[in-house]
Amino acid sequence: MALRDDVRRVLNAICEGKGVEEVPDGDFCVELAELPRWVRILEKPDAVCVFGFLAFEVPRSTEVEQFLHDTNRSCVMFRTFWEDDDILLRVDLMASPLVPSQLQTALEDFEKVAARIAPKAQEWSNS
């Protein structure tokens, strides 16, 4: 529970007390700039996952697989995944100990990386 409390405190400090909501599944929804992102607490080992959606209702295909592969080769910190017909952008941070500046960087860089990748990801979207 201590990690969750630490993450909540860091998120509230980054967002100045606004735009952070704990959703029923336990994730935190964080609204910075245009694109919402979620923060998930993982245990054993302690980690924090920052993720968000780039495209919805994307059928899996060889083109999508190649896009994910190529994108992941070009990213240092972030990774793209196809999951349940959606394309996600995600970064996992070790959190033992939690380094607030790493979490802040992941949250702030998310928008920039998503802006670069999302247009191509959305080409396959059925919505």
Side-chain angles (χ1 to χ4, degrees), residues 64-94:
V64 169
E65 291 293 332
Q66 189 64 50
F67 164 77
L68 297 173
H69 174 74
D70 292 346
T71 301
N72 289 333
R73 284 182 48 205
S74 69
C75 289
V76 174
M77 196 164 110
F78 290 90
R79 294 288 175 253
T80 53
F81 297 91
W82 180 92
E83 183 177 297
D84 297 327
D85 289 336
D86 300 324
I87 296 178
L88 291 99
L89 181 63
R90 175 177 165 164
V91 60
D92 293 321
L93 306 169
M94 295 308 298

Side-chain angles (χ1 to χ4, degrees), residues 3-52:
L3 178 56
R4 175 171 293 285
D5 294 338
D6 290 345
V7 169
R8 182 183 296 112
R9 200 171 13 264
V10 170
L11 292 175
N12 282 325
I14 292 169
C15 298
E16 299 175 348
K18 301 176 198 159
V20 178
E21 176 189 356
E22 192 166 354
V23 293
D25 65 5
D27 293 342
F28 293 97
C29 180
V30 180
E31 293 189 26
L32 288 172
E34 302 276 325
L35 193 61
R37 60 221 74 180
W38 286 263
V39 176
R40 179 171 292 158
I41 311 302
L42 306 170
E43 296 178 10
K44 297 186 187 192
D46 287 344
V48 175
C49 171
V50 177
F51 67 97

